[in-house]
Amino acid sequence: MDERIVVIARAGEAAYPARPPFHPDEACPESIVGSLTGPGSNPAYRAVRDALRISGLDGARCGTAAWNPLAHWIRPGQTVVLKPNLITGVHPRDPEGWRYTLTHGSIIRAVADFVWKALEGRGRIVLADAPQTDASFDRIVGCLGLDAIQRFYTDQGLDFEVVDLRPEVWTARDDVIVDRTARPGDPAGYVAFDLADRSEFTAHAGAGRYYGADYDAGEVNRHHDGGRHEYLISGTVVRCDVFVNLPKLKTHKKTGITVNLKNLVGVNGDKNWLPHHTVGFPENGGDQYPGATLARRLEHTGAGILRAVALRVPAIGTWMLRHARRAGATVFGETGQVVRSGNWHGNDTTWRMCLDLNKIVLYGNPDGSFREPDPSSRKPYLSFVDGIVAGQGNGPFDPDPAPSRVVLFGTNPAYVDLVAAVLMGFDPFRIPTTREAFRTRGLPIVSGRPEAVRCLSNHGPWNT
């Protein structure tokens, strides 16, 4: 399928099935489990199936037991990684908010069925992500029914793994880290990459002032200094034969939207290698805040002192930081109501990191080297976007539900995100991650120009 084609399948309902492992609600001749169906409606499964049907892949056999639409990319015996958005299982306002925050299990199940069809039962599927560092993986697994999905495939004699890629988890109170616990992480280990002058941070004025995922800003700046731009990536992702991105259609406070390009933050082995914003104000080349008001200067200075104390004397510094955060919310405003930490449309840092990660996944080798910068050398890549119920507003953690009723399918993250942004009502050329994906440095994510995109849909107005 041409990478410029993006399929938009419109579902009949903005709803998900309730009972895992989320069998289809109608007999599917091509199914690896025959005529097995589940109770109730499953619009998610139908939408994934419709997306593949609309694409025309293996069209001559569509509707028959032999239909195998992903066979062009996936061969028997291969390892396929499914990368959903598993950021966190807790929504701050709605106990059921995970439904429009995470990639739903019914989307995962539907895609996995077609992957197994292409594998012909011989090979591995690895469902892998690195959620927010303080998130409970067990809770996420329970919310999405991933344990039931894994058990279903295992009972069929199929190799289906669910992997938490995080080597460390945190306990946070009042948004302050109070404990750190080592985890097994990726069983395949991690691979370090240096993009050097092929990084989107090359010649960026923020060098030395990056802030990552932790109080220790020195760590992120050590990896982005002196021409080095280093990232630590999941060995499972690097070594897999085919990468399948399963993002949620959702807004994001740092990048505008989080679809395919932003979803790759979850392939990391250490999120403190990732620049999230540049300390300072636009007046001095930073993007932490939109302007250098007195209140912001005071907040910035005070927070810096307290983080330094927390690093040097954790017991005392952490206690001080927690109390200061509570007081600061009263004086300077709650995080959801004011701009801080680069959480605004002027963030000029995060999009660079996201595009660097996409280049590594598409071109990275297991020894830390890179394939030739040619489209034909990229790792096979597929995208299925869960937009049955999307997330809008204060994403990625605290969105409101948007009953969008869509599943998007494509073979290039830039083109799929371009279409996703338009469907969400945004100008994609005002979103740096989407705009700059079409002109990356050194390793091209996409071959064509944005205006070359073509949409196929079961909804007439969306066909272009």
Side-chain angles (χ1 to χ4, degrees), residues 402-461:
S404 304
R405 294 192 297 145
V406 295
V407 167
L408 282 70
F409 168 61
T411 61
N412 185 277
Y415 277 119
V416 176
D417 281 18
L418 175 77
V419 172
V422 173
L423 285 176
M424 296 169 81
F426 296 115
D427 178 350
F429 303 107
R430 298 184 67 181
I431 299 175
T433 318
T434 308
R435 180 186 66 238
E436 300 300 326
F438 287 87
R439 51 191 187 197
T440 51
R441 178 188 295 266
L443 296 168
I445 290 174
V446 62
S447 305
R449 297 178 59 81
E451 58 268 22
V453 69
R454 181 186 171 203
C455 295
L456 303 177
S457 181
N458 55 355
H459 180 57

Side-chain angles (χ1 to χ4, degrees), residues 112-129:
D113 271 11
F114 283 100
V115 171
W116 271 123
K117 178 74 175 187
L119 289 172
E120 298 179 6
R122 305 192 306 277
R124 295 169 64 219
I125 294 179
V126 183
L127 181 79
D129 192 19

Side-chain angles (χ1 to χ4, degrees), residues 145-165:
L146 300 182
D147 48 351
I149 294 173
Q150 181 180 33
R151 189 163 52 249
F152 166 73
Y153 285 123
T154 301
D155 288 347
Q156 312 303 313
L158 305 174
D159 190 349
F160 186 99
E161 302 172 44
V162 179
V163 177
D164 180 354
L165 296 177

Side-chain angles (χ1 to χ4, degrees), residues 124 157 170 243 257 283 302 340 383 436:
R124 295 169 64 219
W170 301 341
F243 183 80
I257 64 172
E283 296 92 317
R340 56 169 59 96
S383 164
E436 300 300 326

Side-chain angles (χ1 to χ4, degrees), residues 281 289 293-304 332:
F281 312 94
Y289 302 95
T293 65
L294 176 60
R296 287 169 180 156
R297 287 183 183 277
L298 289 171
E299 180 182 19
H300 167 68
T301 301
F332 301 113

Side-chain angles (χ1 to χ4, degrees), residues 5-23:
I5 293 175
V6 178
V7 177
I8 314 168
R10 193 173 194 182
E13 306 168 65
Y16 298 105
R19 187 179 303 175
F22 311 117
H23 298 311

Side-chain angles (χ1 to χ4, degrees), residues 179-198:
D179 187 50
R180 302 166 190 261
T181 305
R183 298 275 293 180
D186 189 343
Y190 303 92
V191 182
F193 290 90
D194 180 8
L195 279 168
D197 61 0
R198 289 172 291 192

Side-chain angles (χ1 to χ4, degrees), residues 139-463:
R139 182 182 180 91
I140 293 168
V141 166
C143 285
L144 299 181
L146 300 182
D147 48 351
I149 294 173
Q150 181 180 33
R151 189 163 52 249
F152 166 73
Y153 285 123
T154 301
D155 288 347
Q156 312 303 313
L158 305 174
D159 190 349
F160 186 99
E161 302 172 44
V162 179
V163 177
D164 180 354
L165 296 177
R166 300 172 298 176
E168 182 179 80
V169 296
W170 301 341
T171 301
R173 297 195 185 99
D174 303 316
D175 294 325
V176 175
I177 304 164
V178 297
D179 187 50
R180 302 166 190 261
T181 305
R183 298 275 293 180
D186 189 343
Y190 303 92
V191 182
F193 290 90
D194 180 8
L195 279 168
D197 61 0
R198 289 172 291 192
S199 169
E200 298 303 303
F201 285 103
T202 301
H204 183 237
R209 294 185 292 133
Y210 297 127
Y211 191 87
D214 200 350
Y215 309 142
D216 184 5
E219 176 75 4
V220 66
N221 286 291
R222 282 190 290 274
H223 294 289
H224 296 272
D225 179 63
R228 294 191 312 274
H229 294 289
E230 298 173 326
Y231 298 89
L232 191 67
I233 306 300
S234 154
T236 294
V237 170
V238 173
R239 293 180 176 89
C240 76
D241 299 293
V242 182
F243 183 80
V244 183
N245 209 348
L246 302 176
K248 191 72 167 181
L249 188 67
K250 193 168 57 169
T251 52
H252 194 284
K253 58 190 177 183
K254 281 183 168 65
T255 55
I257 64 172
T258 171
V259 193
N260 288 285
L261 295 163
K262 176 64 177 65
N263 197 40
L264 292 202
V265 168
V267 303
N268 285 276
D270 191 332
K271 291 185 180 178
N272 208 29
W273 291 34
L274 306 180
H276 285 65
H277 68 262
T278 301
V279 173
F281 312 94
E283 296 92 317
N284 62 7
D287 57 19
Q288 183 178 7
Y289 302 95
T293 65
L294 176 60
R296 287 169 180 156
R297 287 183 183 277
L298 289 171
E299 180 182 19
H300 167 68
T301 301
I305 293 170
L306 289 170
R307 281 195 292 265
V309 174
L311 281 171
R312 292 185 176 89
V313 192
I316 297 173
T318 298
W319 179 86
M320 292 173 61
L321 193 53
R322 286 179 59 199
H323 285 271
R325 284 274 178 96
R326 292 178 196 158
T330 301
V331 176
F332 301 113
E334 296 282 352
T335 297
Q337 305 300 319
V338 299
V339 173
R340 56 169 59 96
S341 303
N343 297 335
W344 67 300
H345 64 268
N347 186 309
D348 192 41
T349 304
T350 306
W351 69 264
R352 300 173 189 272
M353 171 262 287
C354 292
L355 297 187
D356 276 1
L357 294 174
N358 279 267
K359 287 186 279 188
I360 292 171
V361 168
L362 291 171
Y363 292 98
N365 291 316
D367 63 357
S369 65
F370 294 95
R371 307 179 189 197
E372 290 299 311
D374 182 270
S376 63
S377 73
R378 296 178 197 144
K379 183 188 293 289
Y381 175 102
L382 300 170
S383 164
F384 294 85
V385 181
D386 175 11
I388 300 291
V389 182
Q392 65 181 349
N394 195 21
F397 306 105
D398 188 17
D400 296 313
S404 304
R405 294 192 297 145
V406 295
V407 167
L408 282 70
F409 168 61
T411 61
N412 185 277
Y415 277 119
V416 176
D417 281 18
L418 175 77
V419 172
V422 173
L423 285 176
M424 296 169 81
F426 296 115
D427 178 350
F429 303 107
R430 298 184 67 181
I431 299 175
T433 318
T434 308
R435 180 186 66 238
E436 300 300 326
F438 287 87
R439 51 191 187 197
T440 51
R441 178 188 295 266
L443 296 168
I445 290 174
V446 62
S447 305
R449 297 178 59 81
E451 58 268 22
V453 69
R454 181 186 171 203
C455 295
L456 303 177
S457 181
N458 55 355
H459 180 57
W462 290 342
N463 282 283

